[in-house]
Amino acid sequence: MANQQTLDQVFAALADPTRRAIVMRLCAGEASVGELADPFDMALPSFMKHIHVLELSGLVQSEKSGRVRTCRLSPDALVGAEDWFQQQRAIWEARLDRFEAYVMQLKKERAAAKRPSRTTKKKGSES
């Protein structure tokens, strides 16, 4: 599993909607920073800060060729997050299973408490 700092960086990077949109666009294939920035109404230096955060988290890699910087998704950075989600899912499924068993036990106990006991004599049948 990824170390906690790396995991924090991935989640922090994905916390921003602009960065999530960049990641989703890169799922379709690599793109230049200009292509990535085009749909956003922000100055290029501001957009580059988003790219920088994504690079620091390991989600995006970029390389410059001449005047063009091309970005590509680095999905290996998500492996640590995926492992963390799987661990959390296992924990919560176990908790929910225990909770379900507890609720079923309570239902059985309530049903048993509502049933008349077989040893109790019915009214009017006393001799």
Side-chain angles (χ1 to χ4, degrees):
M1 181 170 140
N3 67 37
Q4 191 64 40
Q5 183 178 5
T6 303
L7 194 58
D8 290 347
Q9 288 175 328
V10 168
F11 285 136
L14 293 174
D16 184 88
T18 300
R19 293 191 288 267
R20 286 193 307 273
I22 294 167
V23 168
M24 291 304 297
R25 165 52 189 87
L26 290 174
C27 286
E30 64 182 39
S32 70
V33 169
E35 292 170 327
L36 293 172
D38 190 47
F40 300 97
D41 186 26
M42 67 177 69
L44 192 57
S46 297
F47 186 79
M48 285 304 295
K49 289 180 182 178
H50 288 291
I51 297 295
H52 182 69
V53 170
L54 289 167
E55 286 180 316
L56 287 176
S57 72
L59 290 167
V60 169
Q61 294 177 341
S62 70
E63 65 181 39
K64 192 169 185 179
S65 178
R67 295 177 51 115
V68 178
R69 179 169 293 280
T70 304
C71 298
R72 77 183 62 69
L73 190 62
S74 180
D76 290 344
L78 291 173
V79 171
E82 183 180 5
D83 290 345
W84 184 84
F85 279 121
Q86 288 176 350
Q87 289 175 354
Q88 294 304 307
R89 181 178 182 162
I91 290 168
W92 281 100
E93 284 179 349
R95 288 178 181 172
L96 289 172
D97 289 347
R98 287 192 306 270
F99 182 66
E100 181 182 25
Y102 175 70
V103 169
M104 295 306 289
Q105 182 62 35
L106 287 177
K107 283 182 178 181
K108 286 179 186 176
E109 290 172 3
R110 286 184 181 169
K114 289 181 181 178
R115 280 189 236 126
S117 173
R118 294 179 190 217
T119 59
T120 307
K121 293 182 180 180
K122 293 183 182 178
K123 292 182 182 178
S125 64
E126 295 178 24
S127 315

